[in-house]
Structures are given as C-alpha cells and as structure tokens.
Amino acid sequence: MANQNDSFIDEVTDELRRDRLYGAFRRFGWIGGVVILAIVGGAAWREYSSSRDSASAQAFGDAVLAAENAGPAQIAELDPEGSAARAALIQLLASGAWRAEGDDEAAIAALQEAATAAPEGDVLRDLAQLKRVIAAGNSMDASERDQILTRLSRAGAPFELLALEQKAVALVDAGRTEDAITLIRQIQQKNGLSQALRNRLTEMMIALGADPAPNDDMASGS
C-alpha cells in the first residue's frame, strides 16, 4: 500500500511540474519568440546593409571612372552620397586631374576642399594637406606651411618622412641652408625611407653643396 501511495504522490508531483512548466510557457513564451525574431531580423538587416553598401560602392566607383574620362570639372561634381571620406576622395582626384591639365590654382583649391571635407583624424585629410603644401610651395603663407608640416611630421604620423622632407624644402626656400642640411641628415638616419626618398634627399644635398652620404657619426650617436 505504501508503494502505491508513493507512486500516486510521484504522479501528482510530476503533473504539477508539467502544469507549472506549461504555465510558464504560456506566460513567458513570447519572450523567446521575440528573441528569435530579433536574431533573424538582425541577420537579415546585416545582409541587406552589406548588399546595399556593396552596390553603392560599385556605383560610386563606376561614376568616378566615367567622370575621370570626362575631365576634372565632372569629377568635382560627383555626388559623395553623404560620405565625408568620398567627398574628400573626389576632390583629391579632381586635384590630380587639374594638375594634369596645368591648372595649379584649381588643383590647390581642390586640395583645400579635400582637407576640409575629410573627417578629423582621417588619413585623407593628412594626404590632402601634404599635397597642398607640395603644390603651393613657397607661395603658401610661411606660418601656415610650417604649422601644417609640424603636425604632419610628428612621430608616427602616416606621412612623417615626406612631411620632414617638405620641412627641409621650406628651410631651403627660406634661405636657411645649414638648417636644411642638418634636417636632411637627420631624415637620412630614420627607418622606413623608400629608395625614391633617399634619392631625393641625396639630390638635395648635392644641390646644397654638401656631402650627400648619410652622416654615420650622427647615426652612432643617436
């Protein structure tokens, strides 16, 4: 009899557990449905966004290629579709096209627009400013030129070495030959110099009447 009572109690207990479980499902089961819908919806949105961005990038690339064949004015009129980076890239491309046509003033203006359009801290802004310094040369205001090059030549900056080279050019333009030679020797000791940059530094040293070979004493003392 005791075994029958125990079996009956177990059956009742199991039934109560099932009732509680079904009740919980009825009360909170919708939460699981919402979670599943959110996961599925999120995956679908990511797929849609990726496809849309890819199509947009391809359309923009096609438009750039078509505009390049038409000329710099057409490049500058391209629609960046709300992207600051694209707006900067458009102006950089337009600048190159203007330079190819011999219109340096329009090229410099396009570089200024590129630097203004590029997001703060973006490499495109640094590139546009460096190219503007190179294009303008000593026609740029000396204090502005120095300010831009000082920022671009900071340690670890993307265009550090090229900006230092332009600093040496600016020193030559200012008639500070000895300072330019000293700076060039410092640049020659830095890591990461391309062969093209090494050649340009050598040519500058020769033009300044200095020994073009890097100063080994400076390298050993640094």
Side-chain angles (χ1 to χ4, degrees):
M1 184 70 178
N3 289 337
Q4 290 180 345
N5 287 339
D6 290 343
S7 177
F8 175 75
I9 291 171
D10 290 341
E11 289 179 11
V12 171
T13 300
D14 291 341
E15 190 66 29
L16 287 173
R17 287 173 180 166
R18 282 194 292 271
D19 287 343
R20 292 193 186 99
L21 182 61
Y22 293 149
F25 274 126
R26 285 194 296 270
R27 290 179 60 190
F28 304 111
W30 63 273
I31 296 177
V34 169
V35 171
I36 293 172
L37 286 174
I39 293 172
V40 173
W45 174 254
R46 284 194 299 273
E47 183 66 24
Y48 166 74
S49 297
S50 177
S51 176
R52 180 190 60 189
D53 292 344
S54 178
S56 175
Q58 182 173 352
F60 178 71
D62 291 342
V64 168
L65 290 175
E68 281 188 320
N69 294 327
Q74 285 69 27
I75 296 174
E77 292 175 359
L78 285 172
D79 182 8
E81 300 179 354
S83 169
R86 283 185 183 180
L89 180 59
I90 287 169
Q91 294 303 325
L92 281 167
L93 293 172
S95 172
W98 284 121
R99 287 293 297 273
E101 292 195 356
D103 193 337
D104 291 343
E105 185 175 342
I108 293 171
L111 289 170
Q112 175 60 54
E113 289 190 36
T116 301
E120 186 70 34
D122 192 289
V123 69
L124 288 176
R125 172 172 289 198
D126 289 352
L127 177 60
Q129 290 185 329
L130 178 62
K131 289 174 71 70
R132 186 164 75 93
V133 167
I134 295 172
N138 58 12
S139 67
M140 177 180 283
D141 177 75
S143 61
E144 182 185 10
R145 188 183 187 185
D146 181 67
Q147 182 181 22
I148 292 173
L149 291 176
T150 297
R151 187 179 69 80
L152 296 180
S153 63
R154 68 192 186 279
F159 304 106
E160 175 191 357
L161 299 177
L162 295 177
L164 286 172
E165 177 191 12
Q166 290 306 307
K167 270 192 156 187
V169 172
L171 289 171
V172 173
D173 289 341
R176 298 168 56 184
T177 302
E178 291 303 319
D179 290 337
I181 292 173
T182 299
L183 178 56
I184 291 171
R185 294 205 185 281
Q186 291 173 355
I187 300 171
Q188 288 177 319
Q189 305 304 326
K190 289 185 173 292
N191 295 325
L193 269 69
S194 67
Q195 190 58 50
L197 178 53
R198 289 183 188 278
N199 292 341
R200 291 197 303 273
L201 294 175
T202 296
E203 291 169 2
M204 286 179 65
M205 293 292 275
I206 294 173
L208 294 172
D211 183 357
N215 191 332
D216 294 333
D217 292 337
M218 182 179 292
S220 61
S222 60

